[in-house]
Amino acid sequence: MKDQLSGRANSGKFMNPRYTADGSRRARVALAGVETLWFNTGTLCNIECVNCYIESSPTNDSLVYLTADEVTGYLDQIRARNWPTAEIGFTGGEPYMNPEMNEMCRRALTRGYRVLVLTNAMRPMMRASVQAGIQALVREFGAQITFRVSLDHWNGDHHDAMRGAGSFQRTLEGMCWLRDIGARLAVAGRMIWDETESQARNGFARLFEQLDMNIDAQDPAMTVLFPEMDESVEVPEITTACWDILGKSPRDVMCATSRMVVKRRGADQPVVLACTLLPYNPEFELGTTLADAEGEVALNHPHCAKFCVLGGASCSA
């Protein structure tokens, strides 16, 4: 795995969890209550995208497949800890590479949680056996499950530049299949293009209308536009003084209301991370149980600043 703090732009920064490079007290985020518990189903993916934050690919199994029983164990812990969790998120890699994906969804849905699945809607999802399982879930649970499809841009050429030739069309085919079975859809795009957010949303709106997709391009929860996570770009460190300067609260940051479960290759059991964006950084690993994961998190990474605090982005719905 690449060094998460490579890039000379931020040299000397994000080194000390307590203090920034200039000696100021680093901002920390207390757990307000986990509204979304994420499960990374494994880093294997059917494609390899440009600038994938988790380096998913057909060969990267640094995070191995979770099992449905392991997911159930953490669902039991949610209940035991009395967490206010309303949503269970599944991400990867490509979640539908994991053979137990539909069963994991079913176990969360059966307990009454909303489920959010992040998928590229390509071949792994379109296998007949997987489709049958998805159809059964949509038939039984309806809008309780949302499929957020990775569509980097409304223009096919831009999308294909990130994900490979022909991927835009294959993703649209998967989206249309989900539309036709009545699934609730959302989209995740990127804000790396030479356009304003308004232009991007209007472009997605035209595409959704053309495809008869019931997705609101103006709703940030339904059409999520993520800032690019380029670690070579200079970003400021977040100090305790920044909250008042920026007019923000620690409660606004993703790690105040979410955690992610992963299982590392060779590990006996999964671990809980502070953040969905930093799966390889040991300092953001909190322990094996949800009880271990209830402590504060130091905003000690460029992603904390650019993506969460300054970008105001969140992976949850």
Side-chain angles (χ1 to χ4, degrees):
M1 294 294 92
K2 66 182 178 182
D3 177 3
Q4 293 279 2
L5 292 180
S6 62
R8 288 182 295 176
N10 292 299
S11 179
K13 295 182 178 180
F14 304 104
M15 304 297 290
N16 187 314
R18 291 188 173 275
Y19 299 98
T20 62
D22 67 0
S24 300
R25 293 190 68 84
R26 185 176 304 284
R28 303 176 71 86
V29 174
L31 186 66
V34 172
E35 298 169 4
T36 302
L37 181 61
W38 288 92
F39 292 94
N40 187 297
T41 62
T43 39
L44 286 174
C45 187
N46 55 302
I47 57 176
E48 188 169 2
C49 302
V50 175
N51 291 338
C52 174
Y53 79 96
I54 202 170
E55 298 180 320
S56 297
S57 76
T59 59
N60 179 12
D61 64 347
S62 296
L63 303 181
V64 297
Y65 290 154
L66 286 176
T67 68
D69 286 344
E70 287 168 338
V71 168
T72 295
Y74 284 98
L75 298 181
D76 289 341
Q77 290 182 52
I78 291 174
R79 182 181 299 162
R81 304 299 300 171
N82 198 30
W83 277 13
T85 307
E87 178 182 64
I88 301 298
F90 292 99
T91 184
E94 168 51 46
Y96 288 106
M97 297 282 284
N98 188 315
E100 297 191 35
M101 180 59 199
N102 280 328
E103 178 61 21
M104 289 188 281
C105 286
R106 177 172 293 281
R107 295 192 187 189
L109 290 162
T110 299
R111 295 194 184 205
Y113 297 109
R114 297 193 313 271
V115 166
L116 177 62
V117 180
L118 277 53
T119 177
N120 59 37
M122 295 174 73
R123 181 167 295 175
M125 189 195 78
M126 295 293 279
R127 290 172 292 167
S129 60
V130 175
Q131 285 183 312
I134 292 173
Q135 283 181 295
L137 293 175
V138 171
R139 184 169 56 249
E140 293 177 48
F141 298 98
Q144 191 180 334
I145 182 170
T146 298
F147 300 85
R148 182 190 288 166
V149 179
S150 298
L151 200 64
D152 287 332
H153 197 262
W154 50 268
N155 177 287
D157 290 340
H158 286 343
H159 177 91
D160 284 0
M162 296 291 104
R163 294 178 178 258
S167 61
F168 184 74
Q169 187 57 42
R170 290 192 293 274
T171 292
L172 292 189
E173 290 170 3
M175 289 181 67
C176 288
W177 178 78
L178 288 168
R179 174 203 64 195
D180 291 344
I181 67 168
R184 187 174 189 265
L185 282 166
V187 155
R190 300 194 194 193
M191 282 296 295
I192 63 174
W193 321 102
D194 186 20
E195 62 185 0
T196 65
E197 180 174 343
S198 177
Q199 289 171 328
R201 293 194 180 280
N202 289 338
F204 275 112
R206 291 191 296 271
L207 177 65
F208 299 156
E209 182 177 11
Q210 175 188 341
L211 297 174
D212 194 26
M213 298 283 184
N214 184 25
I215 306 173
D216 186 349
Q218 308 305 324
D219 182 348
M222 298 305 293
T223 303
V224 187
L225 300 180
F226 289 117
E228 189 67 353
M229 295 181 288
D230 185 349
E231 295 163 20
S232 68
V233 174
E234 183 78 25
V235 294
E237 296 184 281
I238 305 300
T239 71
T240 54
C242 289
W243 301 123
D244 289 337
I245 294 170
L246 297 170
K248 293 194 173 185
S249 164
R251 180 65 171 73
D252 299 331
V253 182
M254 188 164 58
C255 55
T257 56
S258 69
R259 292 289 186 263
M260 183 168 77
V261 176
V262 307
K263 189 173 185 180
R264 304 196 188 284
R265 183 178 57 223
D268 293 331
Q269 56 188 322
V271 293
V272 187
L273 308 182
C275 179
T276 62
L277 306 178
L278 300 170
Y280 304 126
N281 292 62
E283 67 184 285
F284 292 93
E285 184 175 309
L286 304 175
T288 59
T289 70
L290 298 190
D292 296 331
E294 293 178 345
E296 287 188 331
V297 177
L299 301 186
N300 194 28
H301 193 279
H303 292 346
C304 303
K306 184 173 182 181
F307 185 88
C308 294
V309 177
L310 301 176
S314 173
C315 293
S316 301

